[in-house]
Amino acid sequence: MNAPLLAGFLLGLSLILPIGAQNAFVLRIGLRGEHVLAVCLTCAISDAVLILAGVSGFAQLSAQVPWAEMVLRYGGAAFLLAYGARSFMAVFGSASLRPSETAPETLSRVVLTCLALTWLNPHVYLDTVVLIGSISTQFDEGKGLFATGAMLASFVFFFSLGFGARLLKPLFARPVTWRVLDIAIGIIMWATAARLLLSESAG
């Protein structure tokens, strides 16, 4: 019974872990200690809405367009393989993020910036609506648990990143930390891609 929940959690976590504009913004806010709760809630709730849209809407699309699931299955697998490859390639680089030294921001400006980074990013729709929505069709009876796991991953990640940023500041200044993180992301991405392709061949 917990398999769909765990699968959703691992997929959601692997999609959200790569450091991008949104995560860098949350990390910076956390390091500065400004409006952390509002930013974490904004990111996590936005993800939850998008995940629900993907999981609930994709089933209707699949029923009306039977070939859509196959197209998105292979498209999702290709995306995961490419994303995983990018994570593995990042192992050979280095990364460090430092909080901005600018003046304190107002709550409204911080939240609006967070919303823009979330909703104006085209990749977020591919990750949540298309990819998570397509993979959720593999769990006929556990689709709700799968979606819950993916949403839980967003809440856990954003709140851990936002409130744990100050504690993690020395750790994340080390390039080796990012390398270990990128290896883990790559493995999860490729394992999920393999699951998509193998489930298709088994069917």
Side-chain angles (χ1 to χ4, degrees):
M1 179 178 293
N2 292 328
L5 182 69
L6 180 60
F9 183 84
L10 290 177
L11 177 62
L13 199 60
S14 66
L15 290 173
I16 204 172
L17 273 175
I19 297 298
Q22 183 192 49
N23 294 354
F25 177 76
V26 175
L27 182 57
R28 187 186 68 173
I29 291 296
L31 289 169
R32 297 181 61 179
E34 295 178 2
H35 316 299
V36 180
L37 177 61
V39 168
C40 293
L41 280 174
T42 299
C43 292
I45 292 175
S46 295
D47 269 12
V49 171
L50 289 166
I51 290 168
L52 282 175
V55 172
S56 60
F58 188 83
Q60 299 174 0
L61 174 64
S62 181
Q64 297 175 2
V65 187
W67 49 264
E69 181 178 351
M70 182 185 68
V71 171
L72 290 178
R73 180 190 299 274
Y74 284 106
F79 172 77
L80 287 167
L81 289 172
Y83 224 85
R86 191 182 74 169
S87 294
F88 285 125
M89 287 188 293
V91 173
F92 299 99
S94 62
S96 62
L97 296 173
R98 295 180 177 85
S100 173
E101 298 298 332
T102 58
E105 300 280 0
T106 63
L107 174 61
S108 59
R109 184 169 182 174
V110 167
V111 171
L112 285 175
T113 302
C114 185
L115 287 171
L117 288 172
T118 302
W119 292 88
L120 298 182
N121 178 10
H123 291 290
V124 74
Y125 298 98
L126 179 61
D127 289 351
T128 56
V129 178
V130 177
L131 188 58
I132 292 180
S134 63
I135 294 177
S136 70
T137 59
Q138 299 181 38
F139 303 95
D140 295 330
E141 298 180 357
K143 187 179 295 185
L145 287 173
F146 179 82
T148 299
M151 290 185 286
L152 181 62
S154 292
F155 276 88
V156 169
F157 175 79
F158 283 121
F159 277 85
S160 298
L161 180 62
F163 287 98
R166 290 187 175 183
L167 297 176
L168 295 175
K169 184 177 179 180
L171 181 65
F172 276 86
R174 300 177 178 178
V176 66
T177 304
W178 297 105
R179 292 190 177 102
V180 172
L181 184 63
D182 284 327
I183 290 173
I185 292 169
I187 291 173
I188 293 174
M189 289 287 188
W190 281 10
T192 305
R195 189 173 188 274
L196 276 176
L197 297 174
L198 290 174
S199 63
E200 171 66 16
S201 62

